[in-house]
Amino acid sequence: MAFKDVGARFMSRSLTYLDDSSKDITVLVATSGDTGGAVASGFWKVPGVKVVILFPSGKVSEIQEKQLTTFDENVKAIEVEGTFDDCQSMVRKAFLDSDFSSLNLTSANSINVARWLPQMFYYFFAYKQLKNKDKDFVFSVPSGNFGNICAGIVSKRLGLPVQKFVASTNLNDTVPNYLDTGIYTPKPSKATISNAMDVGNPSNFPRIQRLFQDSLALLKKEFVSYSFDDNQTREALKTLFHKYDYIADPHGAVAYLGAERFREKSPDTDVIFLETAHPSKFLNVVEDTLNIKIKIPSQILSVLNRASSKQKISTYDDFKSSLLL
Ligand SMILES: *Cc1c(COP(=O)(O)O)cnc(C)c1O
């Protein structure tokens, strides 16, 4: 029910296909919401792979929590007292920790390119559906860890004739600020209604800089970025619903805002904005904002009825003992 599912599944199948060691692999993943569910279902019952998911306590939606805590067997969910960035830094630290060297650790976050390379498909698929292929067009991508937009940029390098990328963010505006000021200042993440993008230090942004030879001037030729708050996001949800009869989720709504902002200056350019999740994953926000009831798809209903299991921790040492158990 989110775009990450395709990438996670591709990665899980590639891992078992390509890994020729007889040792089990442990996949570590930090999630601000959606990644966990995608990875849990993508890796569920994959032989030779254990999955450990870290998520920030109280900061994922009810359905998201169900999606990441109900896959037993080889998938373990750890609830962290803290933010997404705390989860992500525990994961980063674990990779450098020699106490884990026996575990054969790998990452299923988008720091692992196997997660987002298959997402290039989306950009070509969207292009295929453009009615007028002679007109300039850009993509507006709702961005958190900037993996999806990386896939877009690599698609362009592979020949997709897109002009530019609009990185649309919520209040976590590290990248838009960088484009404005030239100074890159990662910040602690702020909680928003588009929580899968609550990232203060996007792990793929250094890759984007490298793709543009670490030159801000080169980057700016093909890349713009805007930030929007929750009120604007709610207004966008309403506009999409009332004007176009389309129920977006809050992340897609942020991308729509980026598309509209871009069109203010370039009205002759077509903008494709990416919708990244089914609105039922953000049920409370969408139903409250639009004053409607959303039909929950059967895939989600089946998860809601399953028993969840999780373990609560607060420090890196807790995490370590739980992992080395
Ligand atoms: C993860 C996610 C995003 C952001 O994608 P990144 O690759 O991290 O930039 C946007 N929308 C939804 C619904 C997501 O789950």
Side-chain angles (χ1 to χ4, degrees):
M1 294 286 108
F3 76 98
K4 292 192 178 83
D5 297 316
V6 169
R9 189 149 302 221
F10 173 88
M11 184 193 156
S12 70
R13 301 310 187 266
S14 305
L15 255 188
T16 32
Y17 182 75
L18 296 170
D19 183 67
D20 45 15
S21 80
S22 51
K23 252 170 82 182
D24 277 7
I25 297 168
T26 301
V27 174
L28 282 188
V29 59
T31 183
S32 57
D34 272 349
T35 307
V39 169
S41 83
F43 281 79
W44 192 37
K45 294 186 177 170
V46 171
V49 182
K50 286 196 197 109
V51 178
V52 178
I53 301 169
L54 288 88
F55 69 98
S57 182
K59 293 188 182 67
V60 303
S61 79
E62 213 177 308
I63 288 181
Q64 285 176 329
E65 182 161 334
K66 272 286 183 186
Q67 285 187 303
L68 55 94
T69 56
T70 55
F71 290 90
D72 40 10
E73 309 199 29
N74 63 331
V75 182
K76 178 167 171 171
I78 296 184
E79 179 176 10
V80 178
E81 270 322 334
T83 62
F84 167 69
D85 290 310
D86 297 325
C87 299
Q88 187 153 268
S89 64
M90 283 190 194
V91 168
R92 283 195 190 132
K93 206 163 156 188
F95 284 115
L96 301 172
D97 191 332
S98 56
D99 290 346
F100 290 130
S101 52
S102 63
L103 275 187
N104 215 2
L105 293 182
T106 189
S107 165
N109 279 105
S110 55
I111 33 176
N112 191 328
V113 291
R115 258 280 315 284
W116 57 255
L117 284 173
Q119 290 166 20
M120 288 193 286
F121 175 77
Y122 295 138
Y123 292 86
F124 287 94
F125 188 68
Y127 173 62
K128 190 176 165 216
Q129 293 170 77
L130 266 185
K131 293 212 172 72
N132 182 353
K133 292 195 172 47
D134 298 325
K135 212 170 147 186
D136 283 355
F137 74 98
V138 305
F139 279 103
S140 171
V141 186
S143 296
N145 249 330
F146 286 68
N148 201 17
I149 201 164
C150 254
I153 294 168
V154 175
S155 303
K156 182 170 187 198
R157 299 289 165 95
L158 289 178
L160 189 73
V162 49
Q163 304 285 310
K164 281 187 189 192
F165 292 89
V166 181
S168 304
T169 75
N170 57 29
L171 275 189
N172 294 282
D173 57 359
T174 301
V175 171
N177 268 348
Y178 169 64
L179 291 187
D180 285 346
T181 63
I183 302 162
Y184 191 74
T185 321
K187 290 183 255 183
S189 52
K190 295 188 191 112
T192 73
I193 58 170
S194 47
N195 66 18
M197 309 198 297
D198 293 351
V199 185
N201 189 8
S203 57
N204 286 291
F205 195 65
R207 286 189 170 127
I208 295 177
Q209 290 178 295
R210 194 57 55 86
L211 280 164
F212 291 93
Q213 290 143 51
D214 292 309
S215 154
L216 181 58
L218 286 180
L219 176 66
K220 278 180 157 175
K221 285 186 184 161
E222 293 178 42
F223 189 94
V224 297
S225 187
Y226 311 121
S227 150
F228 303 95
D229 66 22
D230 282 353
N231 285 335
Q232 291 170 296
T233 307
R234 285 204 172 83
E235 285 310 310
L237 280 173
K238 288 183 200 164
T239 306
L240 283 166
F241 182 57
H242 296 300
K243 208 165 153 188
Y244 302 105
D245 202 21
Y246 182 72
I247 304 174
D249 95 294
H251 305 77
V254 169
Y256 170 73
L257 287 165
E260 288 292 284
R261 175 76 56 86
F262 187 86
R263 280 167 54 84
E264 282 168 16
K265 282 193 195 131
S266 311
D268 294 330
T269 302
D270 281 339
V271 187
I272 302 171
F273 74 93
L274 302 189
E275 168 57 301
T276 42
H278 193 281
S280 66
K281 293 193 76 175
F282 304 91
L283 202 63
N284 295 344
V285 174
V286 177
E287 288 192 340
D288 289 352
T289 306
L290 300 181
N291 219 346
I292 54 166
K293 281 274 161 224
I294 295 176
K295 194 167 172 284
I296 301 181
S298 59
Q299 298 96 309
I300 301 257
L301 282 177
S302 69
V303 169
L304 290 181
N305 293 327
R306 297 162 61 124
S308 42
S309 79
K310 59 185 181 184
Q311 199 180 341
K312 203 163 182 170
I313 62 151
S314 44
T315 64
Y316 181 71
D317 285 337
D318 296 346
F319 169 54
K320 218 163 149 169
S321 28
S322 132
L323 210 63
L324 292 172
L325 222 80

